[in-house]
């Protein structure tokens, strides 16, 4: 790849044999004991002291005093190994069982299942309950899988058991006073009708009330999704095996040679991680322009994928009206939800395609949602409310990822808030490839004629800035690459991974190379420091992983459709976070834990290239994976966590993301000879407002080469505001000292009604237009002293403003004027408003409203004509002749 027509010029911060890490080979769980019986919720029992001395039973006294739950004792390594071996043996038998009847027979033979359902250990009561619910064979199989996996406490909360040997027979006794209380009450309810003097038996199924039956049914659905989706690793039991193995590996890492463990887990005899070569868009600007054009030209071959299923707990987003938790996609940032921002960026690229080629292009968008915080419901509702963004519902595919059980960091046991209600979270964005195959998303893209797709996370508000996303996609399409990363400099200490060039010698003696990603949660596994570069310079040499990807759809489908662990890339168990939940008694809990996750970017590990011998020199031409590199603020700035109170850390907060948007606006506008104050480092704005507020519609570009031809000269003063919701715009020597807001109803075009009654945005049709020439805007602008201002939300109080509202295809022109004070210019559809200066200094403004001529109603009286000139785009302002 030596020139724009053959391959990109790649830059390597360090040569292949320099900065690398080399590896060469030469909480604790309670004991895995026997289950007890099902216990109903506390609401089934009277909250008073009960005792019984009937039928020769030992007197049991039950206290209602709150009881602290005991912390289980951490397991020894042998405990993990024996349980893993038991479950693996069970999986092997299940794997060769061809139908449900045989699988159920295998699970029935498991010792834990036998003990659970034995009459001696009081599982018979649960059997009656299950029988009363009319469960079919598959539902019973799911319940038995939970028991076999050692998670019977999901059916019986508050139970901690120990072994107690009496003579030659093991007896199981309850050590928890909560368990003792509930055990006694269940026994009394089961044997006696406490409301009569008779000794008639009470129907055991009455223990389950309507709410508990509903919880149980939902629990079965939850189990069914796990069993089905994780079928490639063995369903429910395989999920637990993976959890225990990862916990076991983490304990071994502290006592065993790390390099041996890493290479063992990756199935190789030798591993090195090198600093990868990258296409630096900041240095190779000619090639960057060419690559971006390839991206625009290839837009009809591209789809868009948004993984929105994450819980976004760190954002702490709450609906102010209902008080319910909201997913990240619903965060209002710069005046619109994050999801709306993604679609608007995409539409800006489609608008550019229309201006260059005169063709309508609507990109199909696949959105992965989840049930966390009603994510799927909120996203669906937003799309419906906004009429599918004028794109048509058929151009969207929403597919919901399953939730998975959260597990304790001590023992890998499922965390349960109450009977049948495990604490659950999304299983990481890496499930997207298998889920996309299972739900037919790849076929859907193929039906739309798409070859590749760009992948972007919702919290990153700058990923589409200038050439980054287009160059990434352009190179992938042009050179038929399988996977590409958009990367940048990594901030030390940030919660983000790194991109590396992996070099492995496999067990068969062949060498393997490819770009991959190491998540920050796995730095310790690979011996990577996450400290400041001044302390350890190695981790700073690696570029940041930003989860902005280009993927070849056919290649991704081949991985997602594989019926093995490859379809769930890089499964990890991050147990360094706290899991918070409220139990059935209303008590708050916060425990160390995590859930089994996989990472979407590590699909790259399946796209590495093999060679018969070790390679020397540059490899990038030979690899199916690649990296484009740009300024950090033009690649990633995320609104993924709430700014801590009185904290100086704005990184990855909505506040910090706004500052990066302003820095990008500064970079763009200063290149247009517009004088504007510089944005200082983040720490200058911890307790202060930003220096100004500038929000520009992406369709003004989105390539800065295009935007620069629409702006020329002028200034924007400190503490000013400029908001431009318009694409057909011309700025020539404009000074803003205060607030200027231009809002075009038809920023990129107007909607028409399709055959099935849906509104569809037609690009370039009846756009609103605005021209400003030698204009000075002066007013008091934003009230920067207002305590209620939330700048990153674009929710501010203004003292004065100059606001221009363009309905339909309305046009506004102002030349050689000073617009001072508070003004609102609202131009109706089909009209043009011109403002000029009076002949004398005291005559003020001359305002002229006129109808647009019928013959130019569709195009307007002027428009920007886009032309290709080699690898560049040139704009020409065309004035339409009028009769």
């Amino acid at each position: 790849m030596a020139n724009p027509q053959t391959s990109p010029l790649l830059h390597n911060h360090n040569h292949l044999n320099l900065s690398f890490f080399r590896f060469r080979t030469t909480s604790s769980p309670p004991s895995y004991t026997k289950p007890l019986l099902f216990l109903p919720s506390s609401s089934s029992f009277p909250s008073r002291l009960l005792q019984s001395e009937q039928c020769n039973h030992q007197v049991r006294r039950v206290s209602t005093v709150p009881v602290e739950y005991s912390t289980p004792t951490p397991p020894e390594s042998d405990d993990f190994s024996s349980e893993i071996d038991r479950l693996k043996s069970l999986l092997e038998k299940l794997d060769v069982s061809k139908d449900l009847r045989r699988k159920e027979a295998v699970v029935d033979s498991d010792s834990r299942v036998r003990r659970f359902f034995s009459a001696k250990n009081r599982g018979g009561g649960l059997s009656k309950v299950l029988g009363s619910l009319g469960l079919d064979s598959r539902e019973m199989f799911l319940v038995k899988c939970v028991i076999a996996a050692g998670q019977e406490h999901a059916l019986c909360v508050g139970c901690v058991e120990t072994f107690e040997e009496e003579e030659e027979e093991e007896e199981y006794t309850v050590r928890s006073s909560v368990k003792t209380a509930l055990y006694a009450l269940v026994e009394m309810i089961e044997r006696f009708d406490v409301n009569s003097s008779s000794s008639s038996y009470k129907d055991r199924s009455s223990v389950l009330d309507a709410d508990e039956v509903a919880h149980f049914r939902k629990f079965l659905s939850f189990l069914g999704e796990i069993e089905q989706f994780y079928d490639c690793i063995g369903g429910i039991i395989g999920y637990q095996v993976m959890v225990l193995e990862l916990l076991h590996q983490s304990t071994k890492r502290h006592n065993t040679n790390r390099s041996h463990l890493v290479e063992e887990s990756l199935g190789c005899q030798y591993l090195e991680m090198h600093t990868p070569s990258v296409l630096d868009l900041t240095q190779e600007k000619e090639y960057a322009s060419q690559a971006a054009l390839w991206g625009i030209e290839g837009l009809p071959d591209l789809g868009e994928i948004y993984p929105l299923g994450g819980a976004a707990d760190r954002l702490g987003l709450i609906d102010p009206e209902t008080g319910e938790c909201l997913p990240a996609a619903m965060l209002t940032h710069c005046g619109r939800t994050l999801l709306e921002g993604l679609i608007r960026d995409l539409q800006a690229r489609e608008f550019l395609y229309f201006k260059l080629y005169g063709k309508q292009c609507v990109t199909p968008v696949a959105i992965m949602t989840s049930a966390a915080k009603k994510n799927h419901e909120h996203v669906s509702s937003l799309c419906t409310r906004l009429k599918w963004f004028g794109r048509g519902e058929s151009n969207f595919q929403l597919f919901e990822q399953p939730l998975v059980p959260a597990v304790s960091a001590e023992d890998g046991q499922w965390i349960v808030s109450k009977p049948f209600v495990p604490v659950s979270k999304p299983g990481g964005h890496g499930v997207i490839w298998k889920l996309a195959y299972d739900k037919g998303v790849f076929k859907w893209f193929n039906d739309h004629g798409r070859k590749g797709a760009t992948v972007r996370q919702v919290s990153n508000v700058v990923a589409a800035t200038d050439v980054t996303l287009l160059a990434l996609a352009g190179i992938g399409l042009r050179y038929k690459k399988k996977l590409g990363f958009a990367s940048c400099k990594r901030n030390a200490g940030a919660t983000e991974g790194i991109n590396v060039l992996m070099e492995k010698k496999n067990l068969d003696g062949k060498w393997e190379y490819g770009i991959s990603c190491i998540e920050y949660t796995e730095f310790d596994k690979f011996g990577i420091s996450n400290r400041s570069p001044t302390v350890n310079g190695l981790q700073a040499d690696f570029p940041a992983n930003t989860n902005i990807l280009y993927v070849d759809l056919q290649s991704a489908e081949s991985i997602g459709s594989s019926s093995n662990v490859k379809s769930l890339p890089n499964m990890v168990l991050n147990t360094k976070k706290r899991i918070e939940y409220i139990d059935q008694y209303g008590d708050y809990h916060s425990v160390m834990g995590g859930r089994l996750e996989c990472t979407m970017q590590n699909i790259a590990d399946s796209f590495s290239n093999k060679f018969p011998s070790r390679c020397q020199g540059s490899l990038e031409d030979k690899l199916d994976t690649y990296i484009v590199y740009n300024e950090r603020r033009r690649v990633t700035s995320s609104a993924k966590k709430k700014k801590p109170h009185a904290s100086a850390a704005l990184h990855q907060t909505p506040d910090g993301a706004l500052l990066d948007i302003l820095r990008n606006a500064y970079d763009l506008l200063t290149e247009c000879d517009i004088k504007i104050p510089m944005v200082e480092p983040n720490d200058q704005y911890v307790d202060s407002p930003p220096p100004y507020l500038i929000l520009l519609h992406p369709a003004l570009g989105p390539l800065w080469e295009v935007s620069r031809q629409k702006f020329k000269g002028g200034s924007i003063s400190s503490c000013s505001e400029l908001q431009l919701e318009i694409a057909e715009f011309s700025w020539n020597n404009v000074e803003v000292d205060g607030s200027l807001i231009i809002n075009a109803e038809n920023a990129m075009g107007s909607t028409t009604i399709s055959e099935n009654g849906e509104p569809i945005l037609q690009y370039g049709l009846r756009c609103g237009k605005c021209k400003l020439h030698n204009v000075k805007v002066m007013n008091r602008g934003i009230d920067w002293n207002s305590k209620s201002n939330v700048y990153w939300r674009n929710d501010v109080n203004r003292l004065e403003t100059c606001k221009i509202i363009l309905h339909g295809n309305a046009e506004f022109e102002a030349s050689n004027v000073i617009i001072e004070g508070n003004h609102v210019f609202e131009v109706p559809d089909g009209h043009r408003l011109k403002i000029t200066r009076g002949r004398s200094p005291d005559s003020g403004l001359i305002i002229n409203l006129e109808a647009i001529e019928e013959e130019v109603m569709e195009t307007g009286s002027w428009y920007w004509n886009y032309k290709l000139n080699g690898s560049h785009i040139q704009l020409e302002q065309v004035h339409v002749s009028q009769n």
Side-chain angles (χ1 to χ4, degrees), residues 1-26:
M1 298 167 72
N3 60 63
Q5 297 306 318
T6 56
S7 62
L9 179 61
L10 293 148
H11 292 266
N12 194 345
H13 301 300
N14 294 286
H15 291 295
L16 184 65
N17 60 349
L18 295 180
S19 174
F20 60 81
F21 298 105
R22 174 175 296 160
F23 301 100
R24 287 190 177 86
T25 56
T26 27

Side-chain angles (χ1 to χ4, degrees), residues 234 472 533 545 737 835 869:
L472 174 70
N545 173 66
D737 186 2
I835 299 180
N869 182 9

Side-chain angles (χ1 to χ4, degrees), residues 49 127 131 220 222 263 304 306 555 567 617 651 795 807 847 852 873:
L49 181 67
S127 297
L220 286 176
F222 171 77
E263 289 163 346
E304 194 98 342
Y306 303 146
S555 299
S567 63
H651 180 62
D795 183 6
H807 294 284
I847 301 176
I852 298 175
I873 301 173

Side-chain angles (χ1 to χ4, degrees), residues 236-541:
I236 294 169
I237 295 172
Y239 181 94
Q240 194 61 21
V241 168
M242 188 63 68
V243 166
L244 296 178
E245 285 186 327
L246 291 171
L247 274 178
H248 190 36
Q249 289 174 15
S250 67
T251 58
K252 286 171 63 178
R253 280 201 295 270
H254 297 292
N255 305 310
T256 312
N257 180 273
R258 178 184 286 116
S259 64
H260 175 76
L261 287 174
V262 171
E263 289 163 346
E264 183 183 72
S265 66
L266 294 177
C268 62
Q269 57 179 306
Y270 177 92
L271 169 69
E272 285 188 13
M273 292 188 297
H274 304 274
T275 303
S277 296
V278 301
L279 168 64
D280 192 337
L281 302 177
T282 66
Q283 299 297 317
E284 298 302 315
K285 298 196 174 186
E286 278 297 314
Y287 188 82
S289 296
Q290 178 63 76
L293 285 183
W294 289 335
I296 286 294
E297 182 184 11
L299 207 59
D301 292 326
L302 288 170
E304 194 98 342
I305 300 175
Y306 303 146
L308 306 188
D313 291 330
R314 291 182 294 170
L315 197 55
L317 186 59
I318 303 293
D319 188 319
E321 295 182 1
T322 65
E324 68 175 346
C325 295
L326 294 174
M330 302 305 294
L331 176 72
T332 298
H333 194 266
C334 295
R336 61 191 54 83
T337 65
L338 291 179
L339 178 55
E340 289 175 80
L342 294 189
I343 299 297
R344 196 170 76 137
D345 284 342
L346 174 58
Q347 289 175 328
R349 298 195 293 279
E350 293 170 342
F351 180 76
L352 177 58
Y353 179 87
F354 172 83
K355 296 293 284 187
L356 283 171
Y357 302 107
K359 299 176 183 178
Q360 179 90 354
C361 177
V362 180
T363 306
V365 178
I367 303 177
M368 184 176 74
T369 64
S370 77
K373 299 179 180 177
K374 298 183 179 178
N375 179 301
H376 184 84
E377 181 181 326
H378 283 296
V379 170
S380 300
S381 177
L382 178 66
C383 291
T384 302
R385 177 165 54 85
L386 297 178
K387 300 179 180 179
W388 299 94
F389 307 95
R391 307 175 64 78
E393 186 176 357
S394 63
N395 286 303
F396 285 87
Q397 184 88 331
L398 273 60
F399 57 114
E400 187 173 354
Q401 73 177 108
L403 299 181
V404 298
V407 301
S408 164
E410 291 181 320
D411 53 19
Q413 294 285 286
W414 295 6
I415 300 172
V416 180
S417 62
K418 57 184 174 182
F420 313 134
V421 185
V423 177
S424 56
K425 301 281 185 180
H429 46 52
V431 304
I432 196 167
W433 311 118
K434 183 179 187 299
L435 190 67
Y437 175 76
D438 289 351
K439 300 296 184 180
V441 176
F442 289 118
K443 181 181 183 304
W444 178 74
F445 273 129
N446 185 65
D447 291 344
H448 280 75
R450 306 297 154 148
K451 299 175 182 177
T454 47
V455 184
R456 179 181 173 189
Q457 289 187 293
V458 71
S459 60
N460 185 349
V461 298
V462 301
T465 303
D466 197 16
V467 298
T468 303
L469 208 55
L470 286 170
L472 174 70
I475 292 171
L477 284 172
R478 180 81 174 185
Y479 297 104
K480 295 180 172 57
K481 298 288 189 178
K482 293 183 178 180
L483 190 76
F485 295 85
S487 189
C488 59
K489 182 179 180 181
R490 183 176 185 274
N491 283 344
T495 55
E496 60 191 14
I498 55 175
N499 290 132
V500 301
L501 173 63
M502 284 283 196
E503 179 186 34
K504 295 190 295 183
K505 185 178 183 181
N506 294 328
L507 299 178
D508 61 4
K510 292 184 179 180
W511 290 81
E512 196 169 321
Y513 297 85
I515 303 296
S516 185
C517 167
I518 306 298
E519 273 296 333
Y520 73 96
T521 54
E522 294 204 291
F523 282 1
D524 180 62
K525 171 182 174 181
F526 288 91
I528 303 172
S529 169
N530 197 26
R531 297 173 292 175
S532 167
T534 59
V535 178
N536 184 331
L538 289 178
Q539 63 91 15
D541 290 332

